[in-house]
Amino acid sequence: MTDIPVLEVEGLTKRFGEHTAVDGVSLRLASGESLAVVGESGSGKTTTARMITGLESISSGTVTMGGRPLPGPRARTAERLAFARRIQMVFQDPYTSLDRHQRIGDGIAEVLARHAPLHGAELTRRRDELLDQVGLDRRQADSRPRHLSGGQRQRAAIARALAVEPELLVLDEAVAALDVSVQAQIVNLLAEIRGQRPISYLFITHDLGIVPHLCERVVVMREGRIVEAGPTAEVLTDPRDPYTRDLIDSVPRPGWKPRRRT
Amino acid sequence: MTTATVPLLEFDSLRVTLPLGGTQRTVIHRVDLALAAGSAVGLVGESGSGKSLTARSVLGLLPEGARIEGDVRFDGASVPAMRQAELRTLRSRHAAMVFQDPRTHINPLRTVGDFLTEALVSVRREPRAQAEAKVVALLREVHVADAERRMRQRPSELSGGLLQRVMIASALAVEPRLLLADEPTTALDVTTQAEVMAIIDEARENRGLTLLFITHDLALAAAVCDRIAVMYAGHLVEELPARRLVGDAAHRYTRALLASRPDPTVPDARLRAVDGRPLSAFEAGPGCPFAPRCAAAQELCHRERPEPRAVADGRAACHFPHAVDPQAVDLDAVDPHAADTERTAR
């Protein structure tokens, strides 16, 4: 472990015309650490994730990974590839993020050939290792996405992201679309992966229930700003910000009754 | 059943098949469930469990080509046997439904006011002014501030939470006896969900409505319902009072679902995954549909489908139901999963 954070975000801002979607967000993620960014729709959490991964342009502020800035719009391909090897993203709906014409195993092999780069038997061995790690068997590796369940597709998306051995995995609502009994599998899989290799997670979610199982720290976003940040256990049991409290109080649990605020 | 009165809604060995891929496939294997007038029942299940189709069968809204065995009775009358005119009366006067995504159930080009008064004016022949006054009052009842202005707006000008309140107002406009709510808050943020559920709960209380609440969220269902019915792969696998859900659920699937969503504010509450994925009804084999994923499954479970049997004041279709220690019942502090074999996802 080094002192240089894997990810450092300073004053990140995104304006869409008059509207400020993300307003001065600062984050720091140490090597091997897992941070949750929690918020409701319109909080700016996804836009923040997209700016960090370079999928959205930045209005102002900086993103640095391991002390180096995000490649800008004029960056050369080699720079972009080098950046892509450090950070990978898993999206909410693996059906739209996987190529529907490509077999799952081939999709992983393609990433390995491009980024690793591996060939022949070495590539096959590594591909099978990744499939095994996320719990997909041979038959599933030979399938196209539409023949897999939501949970299996999300496993495939995770395997593909892990293929480049990134330092940081950005998970944008990665378990939100899954059935309850399958969500837990994917959360446990992510926890297991982090136990085996040095990898950091930026876990974007609207669902507080999953956060304690995956993240040591949490930031709560509202209307583009961070309203509260701290260790997960502290924030969830003793929130300082009234909005955080509201968010926690809205999660159904045994003995809970829905309440109107207005 | 100890009461002699007719339940407002009753599913009697309901079985539904649909023509899919050239063959008639079973989408609901068996549902037996009775809702007493004024009660609230949560029908809980994951994708493919048949919960939404069960709700739709109440209004005769099953897809083309559906074949129904058994019966669904509304106030004693068989819904599958109803003629079109009777079905229209059922839908326009006695039972109303609120869906998951309000935007797909409202005309985006018409105003909220047009939408809300349409049924009253065109079906019930009420004068427009009277209908308008009525729906404005309804919007206030579901806590829509500035109701008159909202009446003139179009759906695109309203947030998801506000639009869902409009849908609830529209459901209440026909003064139904039964409200069917199919995942009404799944598309909403968690804070908005709490508000919308509170509004449904309040309307139910004030109007003495009977509620069938369809959801994938056990904790949410338990919060607003008297009884919980759990579906898996087209089977109703367990039914019990909501207050006993956490402590006394007997079916292994119900318990597994509860353990997959622990309370986020309880430190060290462990997340227990269930291997595999939820089966669709037509994939269920001859045995218990949950057997392939069940940690407690024995040879019998794979071979023979369990019949629903009485467990305390509920029912469970499980060969080896989780035994509840009678001494421990009703203690909130008891860890309901302590006796389960721990399973972790791979």
Side-chain angles (χ1 to χ4, degrees):
Chain A
M1 302 270 158
T2 58
D3 285 345
I4 301 173
V6 167
L7 176 73
E8 195 160 23
V9 173
E10 272 296 323
L12 197 63
T13 299
K14 178 70 188 180
R15 281 181 289 270
F16 294 105
E18 296 285 287
H19 176 65
T20 305
V22 177
D23 192 359
V25 164
S26 299
L27 302 169
R28 216 180 135 90
L29 196 53
S31 173
E33 198 183 18
S34 176
L35 172 70
V37 179
V38 174
E40 296 188 291
S41 48
S43 64
K45 60 187 191 302
T46 291
T47 308
T48 301
R50 291 179 65 85
M51 283 193 282
I52 290 169
T53 46
L55 294 174
E56 194 77 69
S57 66
I58 295 171
S59 300
S60 65
T62 57
V63 176
T64 50
M65 278 204 69
R68 290 158 68 181
L70 200 73
R74 291 165 183 280
R76 287 173 305 134
T77 308
E79 268 180 86
R80 288 178 193 280
L81 281 178
F83 178 72
R85 280 193 274 273
R86 312 185 70 165
I87 184 167
Q88 285 286 311
M89 191 158 176
V90 175
F91 299 88
Q92 174 170 346
D93 182 0
Y95 199 51
T96 54
S97 63
L98 293 170
D99 182 344
R100 63 199 175 93
H101 300 296
Q102 193 175 42
R103 291 172 209 277
I104 297 301
D106 294 346
I108 295 165
E110 183 187 29
V111 177
L112 288 169
R114 178 137 181 91
H115 286 283
L118 296 174
H119 316 277
E122 186 68 5
L123 186 146
T124 309
R125 191 192 56 76
R126 180 74 187 121
R127 181 199 66 191
D128 293 348
E129 201 174 272
L130 282 161
L131 285 164
D132 186 53
Q133 199 169 31
V134 298
L136 292 176
D137 62 25
R138 272 258 54 101
R139 197 177 55 79
Q140 290 149 356
D142 290 336
S143 304
R144 296 199 166 76
R146 70 172 178 279
H147 293 124
L148 297 183
S149 68
Q152 289 165 347
R153 287 201 284 260
Q154 205 56 299
R155 287 173 191 271
I158 292 168
R160 207 167 185 276
L162 291 178
V164 304
E165 295 182 32
E167 294 158 49
L168 174 64
L169 199 55
V170 178
L171 300 132
D172 186 11
E173 298 280 14
V175 300
L178 303 175
D179 271 309
V180 174
S181 70
V182 177
Q183 256 182 13
Q185 292 172 11
I186 303 297
V187 169
N188 286 347
L189 170 68
L190 289 166
E192 199 177 292
I193 287 166
R194 199 158 69 97
Q196 291 163 353
R197 57 168 82 202
I199 188 166
S200 306
Y201 292 155
L202 189 65
F203 193 73
I204 315 292
T205 183
H206 71 281
D207 184 355
L208 281 170
I210 282 157
V211 171
H213 303 284
L214 212 52
C215 306
E216 300 87 51
R217 282 196 305 127
V218 56
V219 302
V220 180
M221 285 187 71
R222 186 188 196 190
E223 291 166 6
R225 292 165 193 249
I226 292 178
V227 296
E228 179 153 11
T232 303
E234 241 169 69
V235 173
L236 291 186
T237 54
D238 186 20
R240 303 292 156 89
D241 187 87
Y243 175 71
T244 312
R245 183 169 295 278
D246 214 11
L247 213 52
I248 295 167
D249 288 346
S250 301
V251 179
R253 62 181 72 111
W256 175 87
K257 286 286 162 206
R259 270 198 328 222
R260 272 191 306 108
R261 285 173 300 168
T262 49
Chain B
M1 287 285 126
T2 49
T3 54
T5 53
V6 178
L8 184 69
L9 178 64
E10 191 174 16
F11 300 92
D12 181 1
S13 301
L14 177 68
R15 179 184 158 88
V16 176
T17 61
L18 283 181
L20 292 168
T23 56
Q24 202 72 13
R25 278 180 165 173
T26 306
V27 286
I28 298 171
H29 283 273
R30 181 171 176 180
V31 174
D32 290 287
L33 187 64
L35 278 75
S39 70
V41 173
L43 191 59
V44 183
E46 297 182 284
S47 51
S49 66
K51 59 187 189 301
S52 288
L53 285 169
T54 301
R56 285 175 165 267
S57 72
V58 178
L59 295 180
L61 289 175
L62 289 173
E64 196 79 19
R67 272 189 226 151
I68 300 171
E69 290 166 44
D71 207 357
V72 184
R73 286 186 289 269
F74 180 85
D75 207 6
S78 166
V79 176
M82 282 183 188
R83 297 155 185 275
Q84 279 303 323
E86 291 170 294
L87 269 181
R88 273 199 297 274
T89 309
L90 172 69
R91 293 172 190 156
S92 62
R93 291 182 190 271
H94 301 310
M97 192 152 176
V98 177
F99 298 91
Q100 176 172 341
D101 183 2
R103 282 191 211 280
T104 58
H105 291 90
I106 187 167
N107 186 337
L109 301 176
R110 306 280 301 275
T111 64
V112 166
D114 284 345
F115 169 73
L116 285 172
T117 52
E118 186 182 6
L120 298 178
V121 174
S122 64
V123 181
R124 303 181 79 151
R125 309 278 170 215
E126 290 185 22
R128 179 165 291 279
Q130 184 189 321
E132 271 175 20
K134 190 169 168 182
V135 298
V136 166
L138 274 171
L139 284 175
R140 293 209 183 98
E141 185 181 331
V142 296
H143 302 277
V144 171
D146 217 355
E148 282 88 356
R149 185 169 67 90
R150 297 299 183 195
M151 292 280 284
R152 295 190 299 273
Q153 288 184 310
R154 282 174 222 284
S156 60
E157 297 172 77
L158 270 59
S159 69
L162 209 47
L163 203 56
Q164 197 58 294
R165 293 191 208 193
V166 169
M167 303 312 277
I168 295 166
S170 141
L172 298 178
V174 301
E175 292 170 45
R177 298 164 69 192
L178 173 70
L179 183 65
L180 302 157
D182 188 1
E183 304 257 11
T185 60
T186 304
L188 304 176
D189 279 321
V190 64
T191 52
T192 315
Q193 164 171 280
E195 300 216 39
V196 169
M197 282 321 299
I199 287 163
I200 290 177
D201 203 32
E202 200 179 288
R204 183 175 88 81
E205 194 114 312
N206 294 343
R207 293 164 168 263
L209 278 174
T210 307
L211 174 70
L212 184 65
F213 176 48
I214 318 297
T215 179
H216 64 277
D217 190 335
L218 271 175
L220 184 61
V224 294
C225 296
D226 312 315
R227 295 186 76 84
I228 302 295
V230 181
M231 285 191 75
Y232 188 79
H235 299 76
L236 202 147
V237 296
E238 179 157 26
E239 199 238 324
L240 80 173
R243 63 183 158 75
R244 290 206 301 111
L245 174 71
V246 175
D248 302 353
H251 200 284
R252 301 285 172 171
Y253 173 63
T254 314
R255 301 191 73 82
L257 263 190
L258 284 166
S260 315
R261 294 275 338 177
D263 184 341
T265 57
V266 173
D268 307 322
R270 273 186 293 170
L271 190 66
R272 284 163 216 249
V274 196
D275 282 349
R277 64 177 172 86
L279 290 188
S280 290
F282 69 85
E283 297 173 299
C288 168
F290 187 58
R293 304 176 72 193
C294 182
Q298 317 252 334
E299 190 264 334
L300 173 69
C301 305
H302 295 280
R303 187 159 40 85
E304 199 177 290
R305 188 158 294 168
E307 288 286 311
R309 279 179 299 185
V311 179
D313 49 352
R315 282 174 303 146
C318 181
H319 287 303
F320 303 99
H322 177 86
V324 178
D325 176 3
Q327 302 285 304
V329 170
D330 221 2
L331 290 178
D332 287 340
V334 162
D335 174 6
H337 319 299
D340 282 353
T341 328
E342 187 178 346
R343 308 187 85 194
T344 48
R346 32 181 320 172

